[in-house]
Amino acid sequence: MQKQQEKHTEKSKSCKVFGPVATVFGSSNTGSWRLLRPVVNFGECIKCGTCERYCPVNVVEVHEDKDECVAIDLDYCKGCGICANECPRKCIAMVDERSVE
Ligand code: SF4
Ligand code: SF4
């Protein structure tokens, strides 16, 4: 767990966009208590990379060569909804964690 957090903290340092969520909570594992989770409609995604650029904790990766083209590290996603808000296709839904699984 400790090593995983340290690894993620190093990754976050390379992020271009920092905000309070990233600087204070970036390395916190939020996978078990986040309230909302981003769910991508891959069929509508145009792989523009906007979500990747705007995520304050740098947990989004867009893969142009894959059908499931947007990968989100849900162990560290904060559920802030910035990706969903910025997506030009509005193909990211913020879903109540209690309604999944
Ligand atoms: S911002 Fe939206 S359309 Fe662009 S890559 Fe992300 S999910 Fe796809
Ligand atoms: S909700 Fe989106 S922008 Fe916010 S931390 Fe998760 S992936 Fe990043």
Side-chain angles (χ1 to χ4, degrees):
M1 173 73 85
Q2 181 74 27
K3 280 202 182 319
Q4 190 181 16
Q5 286 187 336
E6 285 169 6
K7 187 176 161 199
H8 183 77
T9 304
E10 282 306 308
K11 188 179 172 194
S12 290
K13 284 177 185 169
S14 67
C15 183
K16 287 171 276 183
V17 183
F18 280 116
V21 174
T23 52
V24 180
F25 299 115
S27 62
S28 303
N29 187 320
T30 44
S32 61
W33 52 264
R34 181 186 49 242
L35 297 178
L36 297 172
R37 128 182 346 204
V39 176
V40 180
N41 178 348
F42 300 115
E44 292 294 318
C45 176
I46 56 172
K47 306 175 184 176
C48 66
T50 302
C51 51
E52 186 175 355
R53 287 194 295 279
Y54 275 86
C55 175
V57 287
N58 201 25
V59 297
V60 182
E61 289 181 1
V62 177
H63 302 281
E64 293 189 17
D65 57 330
K66 293 183 181 173
D67 289 338
E68 294 196 357
C69 49
V70 180
I72 298 174
D73 184 346
L74 291 174
D75 281 342
Y76 292 97
C77 165
K78 306 298 176 266
C80 65
I82 291 174
C83 55
N85 197 48
E86 296 297 331
C87 173
R89 297 281 292 182
K90 297 298 175 210
C91 62
I92 303 177
M94 298 305 294
V95 176
D96 190 326
E97 283 285 352
R98 291 168 295 188
S99 70
V100 290
E101 290 170 22

